[in-house]
Amino acid sequence: MTARVVITGIGIAAPNGFGVEDYWAATRIGKNAIGRITRFDPTQYPAGLAGEIPGFEARDHLPGRLIPQTDRVTQLALVAADSAFEDAGVRPGDVPEYDMGVVTASTAGGFEFGQNELQALWSKGSQYVSAYQSFAWFYAVNSGQISIRNGMRGHSAVVVSDQAGGLDAIAQARRQIRKGSKLICSGGFDASICPWGWVAQLANGRVSTSDNPERAYLPFDADASGYVPGEGGALLVLEDAEAARQRGAEHVYGEIAGYGSTFDPRPGSGRAPGLQRAIELALADARVEPCDIGVVFADAAGTPELDRVEADALVEVFGVAGVPVTAPKTMTGRMYAGAAPVDIAAAVLGMREGLIPPTVNVSLSPEYGIDLVTAQPRAAQVRNALVVARGHGGFNSAVVVRGTD
């Protein structure tokens, strides 16, 4: 149960980069991809900014038969899975089908597909509703479609815990590999930039209503007033380290070294939030001390009360300005279940280059007591990175990612 679980392939679809190289080229220099929504007219809504993936045409990447079956989020996930397998040097059939599985996370499922079919129902009648609506909207559809497309018949699952879900899925994949699976594709995707999905996101009251793309999403800033939603995510090919070595894996990006999760107590209970404990559990699981962590990829909620909770947890664990902190998601918006897997990818890519990507547009408020990397990337040799994610309703998760030697 203690086998090393390593990352051998990465597939990314994010607003500031489609594919690993494009994403990292933009992220390392702080390219902002937040802008006014183009997928529908947001004029009638109180918020109109998002991180959208530009120019994505599913027909350029997937067989035509899959297009009417799938929502945009699944199309993005399928393309990212293809990229991750190509990056890992794995083709269907290389690994026995029952030794491969899929564990993904999603916060909303196929919202846009569901919206279109409801519009057909209400305007035309039930005979015009696609039979694919029965599964295309569902949280588990990404796991199902990826497993079918790649002949993966081992352990598969889906996790629904908002932004924390991206880490929870990867942790579950790690657990299954330690139980005997050889390879699992894991991560998270969300893409609900459509009117129905937009209304659902606005309901939490935490979406920024600013119309300035450079001042809308400002975690740890005195002017923080909410977050900007984004679409996208990442999928990782995770393998037992020995199995990867035996098959001749082309490269190893890093290791999923530690994981911790908690759930916040009931509001009004007087008990402390659970984020600090999740971080401490992840460090203990990785068998590292706080001084061993070279960078923290923050959850970066973008609201003063939640930023305060996260900053306090980091100060308690690492001390005042005790570790560099970054939140590259200020370039893309919060991608919900897709955000933390993208942060893991950014962590291993940054460790490979010796660079911490910046938190763009933010002016750190000194009240938080953290060492936030802003404006420009920072050169740093990092051995261990911590990725933090929280989900609406009280989910807290943390993962320690270890670089390669």
Side-chain angles (χ1 to χ4, degrees):
M1 294 293 291
T2 58
R4 292 177 60 239
V5 176
V6 296
I7 303 165
T8 58
I10 301 174
I12 295 179
N16 66 341
F18 201 91
V20 171
E21 298 306 324
D22 284 349
Y23 167 76
W24 183 241
T27 298
R28 65 184 304 279
I29 62 171
K31 180 181 178 181
N32 188 15
I34 290 173
R36 183 173 170 82
I37 292 171
T38 63
R39 294 185 55 75
F40 65 93
D41 182 2
T43 302
Q44 63 182 310
Y45 301 95
L49 298 180
E52 296 179 309
I53 297 174
F56 174 72
E57 293 292 339
R59 294 183 185 279
D60 295 339
H61 305 276
L62 298 171
R65 64 177 177 79
L66 281 176
I67 308 304
Q69 301 181 25
T70 50
D71 180 80
R72 178 177 174 88
V73 69
T74 302
Q75 294 164 3
L76 289 167
L78 285 167
V79 174
D82 288 350
S83 297
F85 286 125
E86 181 179 3
D87 189 35
V90 174
R91 295 171 297 177
D94 287 352
V95 180
E97 58 187 4
Y98 285 100
D99 286 341
M100 300 188 296
V102 186
V103 182
T104 66
S106 178
T107 301
F111 244 77
E112 188 171 19
F113 196 103
Q115 173 186 302
N116 292 337
E117 298 312 310
L118 285 173
Q119 287 177 321
L121 172 66
W122 294 333
S123 63
K124 298 179 182 179
S126 59
Q127 66 270 34
Y128 291 94
V129 176
S130 170
Y132 297 123
Q133 166 67 2
S134 61
F135 60 80
W137 70 272
F138 192 44
Y139 306 100
V141 67
N142 295 345
S143 288
Q145 291 284 17
I146 292 168
S147 64
I148 292 168
R149 179 166 168 77
N150 295 282
M152 306 170 78
R153 303 182 69 179
H155 177 89
S156 294
V158 63
V159 178
V160 184
S161 48
D162 193 20
Q163 185 145 307
L167 295 185
D168 296 337
I170 289 167
Q172 187 176 138
R174 174 180 178 240
R175 188 178 307 120
Q176 292 304 319
I177 290 173
R178 287 181 164 184
K179 288 182 177 180
S181 295
K182 297 295 188 294
L183 179 154
I184 292 187
C185 178
S186 186
F189 264 87
D190 270 302
S192 296
I193 312 298
C194 62
W196 191 27
W198 199 242
V199 170
Q201 293 173 74
L202 293 176
N204 68 20
R206 294 175 177 168
V207 175
S208 173
T209 58
S210 170
D211 60 2
N212 182 347
E214 295 184 351
R215 296 300 295 166
Y217 181 22
L218 304 170
F220 309 112
D221 190 303
D223 294 332
S225 61
Y227 69 92
V228 174
E231 63 176 353
L235 292 171
L236 313 177
V237 173
L238 302 176
E239 296 187 67
D240 174 274
E242 180 58 24
R245 187 192 65 79
Q246 290 180 359
R247 77 165 180 84
E250 296 176 14
H251 47 238
V252 172
Y253 286 102
E255 175 187 356
I256 305 300
Y259 167 71
S261 66
T262 59
F263 197 79
D264 285 339
R266 174 180 55 84
S269 68
R271 296 165 57 201
L275 182 59
Q276 178 182 337
R277 180 60 178 158
I279 293 171
E280 292 168 343
L281 288 170
L283 298 181
D285 187 37
R287 300 182 180 180
V288 297
E289 298 297 326
C291 61
D292 297 321
I293 299 296
V295 63
V296 174
F297 283 74
D299 175 72
T303 59
E305 66 275 16
L306 291 175
D307 288 347
R308 166 56 60 200
V309 169
E310 183 168 26
D312 286 351
L314 295 178
V315 169
E316 284 295 320
V317 174
F318 298 102
V320 175
V323 62
V325 177
T326 188
K329 58 176 67 70
T330 57
M331 308 174 207
T332 64
R334 287 172 68 87
M335 295 177 282
Y336 299 100
V342 171
D343 279 347
I344 287 180
V348 297
L349 293 170
M351 285 189 278
R352 182 177 67 178
E353 186 171 338
L355 180 147
I356 298 172
T359 307
V360 300
N361 301 324
V362 173
S363 295
L364 175 65
S365 172
E367 68 177 288
Y368 289 112
I370 60 173
D371 176 17
L372 190 67
V373 179
T374 60
Q376 299 296 324
R378 182 184 299 180
Q381 296 301 315
V382 174
R383 171 64 172 160
N384 297 288
L386 177 73
V387 178
V388 178
R390 291 174 289 180
H392 184 66
F395 299 96
N396 303 290
S397 295
V399 161
V400 174
V401 187
R402 182 169 294 137
T404 57
D405 294 324

